[in-house]
Amino acid sequence: MNNPTIFALGLSLMACQTPVTAHEAEHSDPGEHGDHGGHGHGEGATAFTHFTAQTELFVEVQPLVVGQTAEAAAHMTRLSDYRAFSAGHMEAELTGAGGSQVFTVDAPSSPGIFRPQLKPKAAGPVRLKFRFKHGDIEVTHDVGELTVYATDAEAHKAAEAAQGAEEPAAISFLKEQQWRMEFGVAAVATRTIRPTFSAFGTVRPRADGEAWISAPLAGRLAAGSGFPKVGLTVKAGQALAVLSPRLAEQGDGATLEAAVEQAEGAQRQAERERRRLEQLAAAGAVASNRVVTARFNEEQARTTLETARRRLRQTRRVDRTDDAPAEGGVGLRSPISGTVVAVDRPPGAWVNEGERLFRVIDLDRLWLEVHVVETHLAELNSPKGVWFEFAGDERVFNAGADALVSVGSVVDSRTRTVPILYEVNNVERRLRVGMFADVHVITADPRQALAAPVAAILVESGQPVAYVQTGGESFVRRQLRTGDRDGGHIEVLEGLSAGERVVTEGAYTVRLAGSSAELSSGHHH
């Protein structure tokens, strides 16, 4: 949709006075819309187009004759979305001969079209202004001077003298057509242009902004609600999961259960032996050192039993799928802060040593890797920055010279390109890792040049052209010679002048209107 700031470039006014020809008048058919639903060009009517920052007025005024009522068909367009005003209050003021006269209308006769009735008191030059108010919009359109004629004969003579004043190649494209579609115009103006050459690029993680978390040993990933998911934001050192190792010497569950039973029996036997020897030593039947040995053997048997029990518990927990990690489980932690972008193994899965499990990338700052063909190597000594865009996205991104990370020194033998790395801010998450970009490498300091929006340029038979608005409902086709492009604007070397307005949305439809007899054969509102 239209950007109001673009239209503000034309605040210096675009006021066009276009006499309406008899050919147009005879194609005006009041019956199509009723007497008041549309407007037809009266013979000799004069058309004006005038812009403010918020509105466009296109008005057709019938010849002004003293004491006679002349209708002004004023088309009011809201520039924020290029739609007709469906309500509003309008005042038309004539100042000059006869003093000041104000004619009001409180609503449009049809969406967008207001019809104040002008009845001048005296002959001579007058100035015509339209004041319009709707909601928080309150504007004045000063369309310029007109002449009030003393008689119909004088008005008719002036109309004949004005025949042919409209540009012969003008394309008629009515306001009612414009209002029903995506349409917009913008002013051609002097802008800052940065010389560039084209390249292509890839968005990738920084070297220190990407980490794969792998399994340090074979085991099973503990399951549970805390298992990471894609999109999870993590801090450096934060645990992502727990890996329960299973050692090879542990054997299966049945073997470990038998080992526990055997250790329990040995521990009971060692305890009984220690008690028996303590009783004999108290009676003086055995030496005291045998009691010491018995106590040591009992402690060893107790340690062996605890080890067997721990191995059995570990194996049982590894074989479970709940969130309880086995004793001795290994925490898997992220070495960097970032976002989990890949989870390659599900919870509860068996993994091998060295297997990649999770990928974490710092998405706040990424690298744009620009691939420059070797024919531009001479221009890589001191690049001034880049601007880049993506297919299907109208936004333009920039990276200045201070964002340069490195310039490659080796030409890739396959692509014949040299890489340049720029660090780009991505806090708003507008970029995605892996995206391909159309890149423009800035090679020189910026300069001032006449420029038009890129959206206004069509290519016809290999030639860049634009459609220029010469009046509210009239357009002409211009062939252009263009220069450097900078973001959403392109330098115009020939074909346009500062202040002219070009069609930025709907240009192709205007082109069709120029080549279609059906669209341009008549003027019916």
Side-chain angles (χ1 to χ4, degrees), residues 214-475:
S214 302
L217 44 80
R220 193 171 196 179
L221 290 172
S225 58
F227 200 81
K229 296 182 174 66
V230 171
L232 176 68
T233 300
V234 298
K235 298 293 186 181
Q238 180 176 330
L240 301 181
V242 175
L243 179 65
S244 299
R246 184 174 184 181
L247 304 179
E249 61 269 20
Q250 287 180 313
D252 57 26
T255 301
L256 293 177
E257 288 176 358
V260 169
E261 292 177 358
Q262 183 179 357
E264 287 175 343
Q267 193 273 336
R268 288 192 297 270
Q269 178 61 33
E271 182 180 2
R272 287 194 297 270
E273 179 64 13
R274 185 258 306 164
R275 290 175 178 174
R276 186 181 72 81
L277 290 176
E278 285 178 342
Q279 292 173 355
L280 291 174
V286 297
S288 60
N289 62 339
R290 291 188 62 186
V291 175
V292 173
T293 301
R295 289 173 178 170
F296 176 77
N297 291 338
E298 183 185 7
E299 184 65 27
Q300 288 290 89
R302 187 179 297 111
T303 301
T304 301
L305 173 60
E306 183 58 34
T307 300
R309 286 173 174 171
R310 185 169 62 250
R311 287 180 174 175
L312 179 60
R313 287 195 301 268
Q314 183 180 24
T315 298
R316 285 174 174 172
R317 287 181 177 178
V318 169
D319 288 339
R320 289 163 60 188
T321 58
D322 60 18
D323 60 354
E327 294 181 10
V330 178
L332 303 177
R333 301 181 181 277
S334 174
I336 64 171
S337 297
T339 302
V340 177
V341 298
V343 177
D344 283 4
R345 301 292 285 163
W350 286 98
V351 298
N352 297 317
E353 181 179 353
E355 186 174 349
R356 287 182 168 181
L357 306 178
F358 313 110
R359 187 187 185 192
V360 177
I361 295 178
D362 178 5
L363 299 177
D364 288 345
R365 293 179 299 133
L366 299 172
W367 277 353
L368 176 70
E369 183 174 8
V370 184
H371 307 277
V372 179
V373 296
E374 58 184 330
T375 54
H376 289 295
L377 291 182
E379 299 173 84
L380 290 184
N381 293 331
S382 56
K384 307 293 184 181
V386 295
W387 64 267
F388 53 101
E389 57 189 351
F390 301 94
D393 191 337
E394 295 182 354
R395 294 173 297 180
V396 174
F397 302 85
N398 289 273
D402 57 345
L404 179 66
V405 176
S406 66
V407 177
S409 57
V410 178
V411 177
D412 186 287
S413 60
R414 182 176 57 86
T415 63
R416 310 308 303 173
T417 62
V418 173
I420 309 179
L421 291 177
Y422 284 89
E423 185 172 307
V424 292
N425 186 298
N426 191 42
V427 174
E428 297 180 0
R429 298 294 189 272
R430 298 186 298 173
L431 306 181
R432 300 286 188 272
V433 172
M435 295 176 73
F436 288 98
D438 292 323
V439 183
H440 299 260
V441 180
I442 304 169
T443 59
D445 292 331
R447 53 186 171 76
Q448 295 297 303
L450 189 68
V454 172
I457 309 301
L458 298 181
V459 178
E460 300 178 4
S461 302
Q463 171 71 39
V465 301
Y467 287 83
V468 180
Q469 184 180 27
T470 57
E473 296 183 335
S474 59
F475 302 83

Side-chain angles (χ1 to χ4, degrees), residues 55 148 205 293:
T55 59
V148 178
T293 301

Side-chain angles (χ1 to χ4, degrees), residues 33 37-39 60 75 113 115 174-176 473 523-525:
H33 299 284
H39 76 274
E60 295 163 312
H75 304 61
I113 304 178
R115 300 178 182 279
L174 309 185
K175 281 298 174 189
E176 288 85 345
E473 296 183 335
H523 189 153
H524 308 299
H525 290 296

